[in-house]
Amino acid sequence: MNDVQRRIWLSLGANLGDRGETIREALRRIAALPETDLLQTAPFYETAPWGKTDQPGFINTAAEVRTGLAPLELLHRLQRIERELGRVRHEHWGARTIDIDMLAAEGTVCRTGELNLPHPYLTERAFVLIPLRDIAPQLIVQGRSIAAWCRRDEIAGQAVVPAPELDEPYPLKLIVAVDEARGMGRNGQLLMKLDEDMARFRAQTMGQTIIMGRRTMESLPGGRPLPGRINVVLSSGADVPQGFQVCRNEKQLWQLLGRLRRDEPGRGNWCIGGAQTCRTLWPYIGEIRLTRLPGEHGADCFLPDLQGFRLQQEERGRACTFQCWQRA
Ligand SMILES: Nc1ncnc2c1ncn2[C@@H]1O[C@H](COP(=O)(O)OP(=O)(O)OP(=O)(O)O)[C@@H](O)[C@H]1O
Ligand SMILES: Nc1nc2c(c(=O)[nH]1)N=C(CO)CN2
């Protein structure tokens, strides 16, 4: 244990495999480290390979943590995350599933070789500086602010563009009603239809994006999209009527949501079921709006247990209870 809490800035990069997802997973694992809070993450950027240029393009981002871990201990923890996520060291500056570098640590200068802080190449690399500027423009390194380092021509000339993928660790919210057995539905239909619950669902999701599986799509009134919302169906094979946008896999979903968010940054992404789609998207869900229905109703599909989420708010309705859970 160490009582000193320090802010430390990190750079993350990936150019093999599902780059965006690997970085999101790395951020989730960093957030779960002991004595460590993930304070900020930068948007994701698509960046041309630097140094060794004959390799695939990278996704890069930056993050700020506050940690009680000593810098070297944090380095070892980050290296373990790299290994767990399939990082195999091949060649210097070569392709990798994930690379996590420590850029700078508050009040710390360190030149041991095993750990050099501030990172020696920090000021030369646009793929590090541009994301870092989003979260720490005033941070001073080698006598200049990150914002000032970014203004130099060598940096402005390197290809770094916002990545058309979602960059939050938990980009989705979930809205569902469950009975006392955590049942969600039976024969592809809701267990109960309560006016107060319908009204809430409508108010929460109006003007936003709703994401559903095939069976949920088919259960909508008339099999038609819900009005006033962007209706997205995640299904590898289903025929999808007009008015729905279809994503055949998760990668297409992230690309679509990334495009939608660039057009309108504030729009929320709501998973609305069913159970299979919930399970697929569970690792990306940060908030759950849960309606608790009275009784048990012989459901044939269930919500996963809420381990890892914390109850934030609860409100009693006439016949049901409305809860808001957030990832702890
Ligand atoms: N600030 C730092 N962050 C991460 N690793 C560091 C740092 N300073 C020194 N190292 C050391 O660098 C070594 C090589 O790291 P890595 O394989 O990630 O290099 P690289 O990504 O190919 O090159 P670069 O370090 O230029 O990004 C690690 O064994 C680690 O001990
Ligand atoms: N664009 C980009 N280029 C790189 C990167 C990286 O993360 N992004 N990492 C490297 C290894 O340190 C070498 N080159």
Side-chain angles (χ1 to χ4, degrees), residues 75 87 89 92-93 96 99 101-102 113-114 116 125:
L75 178 72
R87 162 82 185 265
R89 268 166 223 277
H92 189 45
W93 291 350
R96 66 266 325 269
D99 184 26
D101 283 340
M102 289 170 61
E114 187 182 10
N116 299 320
R125 296 171 162 182

Side-chain angles (χ1 to χ4, degrees), residues 12-15 19 44-50 55-61 126-128 130-131 158-163:
L12 296 95
N15 75 338
R19 304 167 304 163
F44 285 15
Y45 289 87
E46 186 79 50
T47 68
W50 176 98
Q55 57 175 326
F58 281 77
I59 287 190
N60 284 106
T61 189
F127 70 80
V128 171
I130 305 270
Q158 294 177 36
V160 172
V161 292

